Amino acid sequence: MELTMKDAIWQVMIDIAVMGGLLLIGEMLRANLRILQKLLIPPAVIAGFLALFFGPKSPFGMGVLPLSGSFGTYASVLIVLVFAATPLGDKGGSGKGLTRETGGMFFNITGIAVLQYAAGLTVTLLVLQHFYPAMSSAFGLMMATGFYGGHGTAASVGANLENLGIMNMTDLGNTCATIGIVGGILTGMIMINWGTRAGHTRYVDDPKELPLSMRTGLIPKNEQASAGKSTINNICLDQLGFHLGLVLLCSFAGYELCELFKKFSKSSFGMSIEIPAFCLSLIVALIMNMILNKTGVQEYVDRPTIQRIQGTCTDFLMISGIGSMNTSVVMSYAIPLVIICALGFFINWLWFFVVGSKCGTKDWFERNMMVWGHATGVAATGVLLQRVVDPDLKSRGIEDSGIADVFNRPIIIGLQIIPPMLMFTMGDLIGGWASCGISWAILIVMWIIAYAAKWWVPGIKVSSGHSSGVAGMRKAEA
């Protein structure tokens, strides 16, 4: 037993080392191949495909990388750390709640997520199940799980569904997430080029010449800045170790609470009900962050350092998610995946112009590139696209989306955990329709509130002409 445990621990180290090496290769390729620079493909995505082609799930039989058969499970563990890191170090906002601008961003960035759940479930229940009777209603969750949620949510929701007996959802979610993040960048750049020609951008006239650091990923020496500040003396404790300890503590507590609730539900209700560990780790982290703020310890927590830990976990998570995809499952669902992903891009595009363009009084295009990236990949994709059209980040799209994310967490997390539970307790079909109805109801209520609060004003007119200095500025009709 001791030898087996020792071998297992070394295998974990080998898996992580291989992923780290693939990340370095991905960055090297991004820094030297113009095609990758032009497409802005993240190194983690490149590394993920290298792990897929040359790892244990290789569709070509080239499993030369010494990755373990459990390589794909890292994603479902790393997402717990990502969620645990989300609130840590957040010192709180101004306390004013949602202003008109932040309210508009809240409706914009939350509404598209809810619409993805509603549209995905509707198309699955009304169309796809007609042609594929054996398909689970849970397939309707894959658009939002992969597009808005990204690889982390795909790993957590997929694992949760598979624990409930609905198989292959992790592979399908990761496929949607990969299509979303790559397609989101490519279509985002197409939209940016169109926007500049149409005069909808306020801060750039031509996005073709991106900064060198954005193309290669390497920041020139004269532009390099600190990634954080020291709040702990290294003689006492390393800065990174202190912050990693906070994240790991919340992650461990979330996992333990998950296990305790499963045992409690089994003994109380006769069936094991699982609240995902990533959800509980977030709750623990929110409580911890509140305690840190109340006790004054928050001044020793450096938010940028926490974000570096979160970003690193996300990169490794993407490698695990993409590299462990079962291509035979993906191919067997090829047509439904094409339909659901094409629908995803279409409703994102429709939302961009019908809703996003009318959720604020200025810089609508710049702010909505943040939403586009968030709705097709991850927040980092939105930051990338916004920086292309707003290099100095004057439109406050990133800041307001961060505030919106604080308020929308209960809605998004609810949509991640409630539909699977409904499908398990009520049956696949009834649970699917119930989830579909709940999603549409949430969207309609949000839309009414947004209209009443003037977060969404249909009378706003979009004006163009960046050369006159007023592009992105709108006013409501009298």
Side-chain angles (χ1 to χ4, degrees):
M1 177 63 70
E2 182 179 352
L3 180 62
T4 302
M5 181 62 69
K6 178 180 178 182
D7 291 341
I9 292 174
W10 271 106
Q11 186 59 59
V12 170
M13 192 282 292
I14 293 171
D15 287 342
I16 295 173
V18 171
M19 285 192 282
L22 292 175
L23 263 181
L24 296 178
I25 294 173
E27 173 54 39
M28 180 187 69
L29 293 173
R30 169 71 179 266
N32 290 279
L33 296 181
R34 294 183 64 85
I35 182 65
L36 296 178
Q37 296 174 17
K38 189 173 183 178
L39 297 178
L40 299 176
I41 304 299
V45 173
I46 300 171
F49 278 108
L50 291 175
L52 177 62
F53 293 152
F54 300 104
K57 293 292 185 71
S58 174
F60 311 112
M62 297 189 296
V64 295
L65 294 175
L67 293 167
S68 68
S70 302
F71 166 64
T73 61
Y74 290 104
S76 58
V77 175
L78 289 169
I79 188 58
V80 179
L81 276 71
V82 171
F83 269 77
T86 299
L88 293 177
D90 186 358
K91 295 176 174 59
S94 61
K96 297 180 180 179
L98 292 174
T99 65
R100 183 173 176 181
E101 293 298 320
T102 57
M105 180 62 81
F106 165 77
F107 175 56
N108 196 356
I109 207 166
T110 309
I112 184 57
V114 180
L115 178 59
Q116 286 181 5
Y117 278 102
L121 284 165
T122 300
V123 169
T124 299
L125 291 164
L126 291 180
V127 180
L128 295 180
Q129 284 190 335
H130 177 73
F131 295 99
Y132 302 90
M135 176 180 288
S136 170
S137 300
F139 184 81
L141 304 173
M142 292 301 99
M143 180 205 301
T145 295
F147 272 42
Y148 188 91
H151 289 89
T153 304
S156 57
V157 173
N160 193 29
L161 287 167
E162 289 173 5
N163 288 337
L164 298 176
I166 306 173
M167 305 311 294
N168 301 323
M169 291 298 116
T170 300
D171 290 319
L172 298 176
N174 279 324
T175 302
C176 289
T178 304
I179 294 172
I181 194 171
V182 175
I185 293 173
L186 298 180
T187 53
M189 291 303 298
I190 292 172
M191 293 175 68
I192 287 172
N193 279 283
W194 168 83
T196 56
R197 290 195 301 271
H200 293 307
T201 55
R202 189 179 184 191
Y203 303 108
V204 296
D205 293 329
D206 187 352
K208 290 183 180 179
E209 286 303 319
L210 300 177
L212 180 65
S213 60
M214 290 184 66
R215 288 187 281 112
T216 66
L218 302 174
I219 302 176
K221 186 176 181 179
N222 61 329
E223 298 178 14
Q224 294 173 2
S226 174
K229 64 179 179 180
S230 295
T231 59
I232 302 294
N233 195 311
N234 287 342
I235 295 177
C236 175
L237 174 65
D238 187 80
Q239 163 87 357
L240 183 60
F242 171 74
H243 289 81
L244 184 59
L246 292 174
V247 175
L248 290 173
L249 177 60
C250 295
S251 302
F252 172 71
Y255 170 78
E256 286 296 316
L257 288 174
C258 174
E259 294 299 307
L260 285 173
F261 189 81
K262 284 196 293 185
K263 293 178 182 178
F264 168 77
S265 61
K266 181 68 174 178
S267 60
S268 301
F269 310 115
M271 62 178 180
S272 180
I273 301 174
E274 180 176 351
I275 299 177
F278 76 88
C279 177
L280 294 173
S281 71
L282 173 63
I283 294 173
V284 172
L286 286 168
I287 296 173
M288 175 178 282
N289 196 65
M290 181 180 65
I291 295 173
L292 293 174
N293 276 317
K294 293 293 185 181
T295 58
V297 181
Q298 188 66 279
E299 64 181 285
Y300 303 107
V301 181
D302 180 49
R303 180 62 183 163
T305 301
I306 294 290
Q307 289 174 322
R308 299 289 73 75
I309 295 171
Q310 187 179 42
T312 300
C313 290
T314 301
D315 285 338
F316 279 82
L317 184 154
M318 290 173 64
I319 299 172
S320 173
I322 297 173
S324 62
M325 288 192 301
N326 189 328
T327 52
S328 62
V329 170
V330 173
M331 292 306 298
S332 66
Y333 282 83
I335 295 177
L337 282 169
V338 169
I339 293 173
I340 210 77
C341 289
L343 176 66
F345 283 114
F346 174 73
I347 65 172
N348 284 352
W349 174 82
L350 197 63
W351 184 273
F352 185 92
F353 289 101
V354 174
V355 178
S357 63
K358 303 177 187 301
C359 282
T361 57
K362 66 175 184 176
D363 299 340
W364 77 274
F365 193 88
E366 288 81 1
R367 291 166 65 84
N368 276 282
M369 290 318 303
M370 178 67 199
V371 178
W372 179 270
H374 206 318
T376 56
V378 290
T381 304
V383 173
L384 168 67
L385 293 175
Q386 188 188 325
R387 288 194 63 187
V388 174
V389 290
D390 182 12
D392 298 321
L393 303 179
K394 295 179 180 179
S395 64
R396 288 191 57 82
I398 295 175
E399 293 87 345
D400 286 350
S401 69
I403 295 172
D405 279 338
V406 172
F407 287 93
N408 78 6
R409 280 178 195 152
I411 299 174
I412 302 303
I413 292 177
L415 288 171
Q416 290 173 3
I417 64 176
I418 293 176
M421 293 179 66
L422 291 178
M423 293 173 188
F424 176 70
T425 57
M426 301 173 66
D428 185 78
L429 186 61
I430 297 176
W433 277 112
S435 302
C436 183
I438 290 172
S439 300
W440 283 114
I442 293 173
L443 183 61
I444 292 170
V445 171
M446 286 182 59
W447 213 313
I448 293 172
I449 294 173
Y451 179 78
K454 298 189 182 301
W455 295 344
W456 175 73
V457 183
I460 285 180
K461 293 293 185 181
V462 178
S463 62
S464 61
H466 47 246
S467 59
S468 63
V470 296
M473 302 295 291
R474 285 86 47 75
K475 59 182 179 180
E477 289 180 323

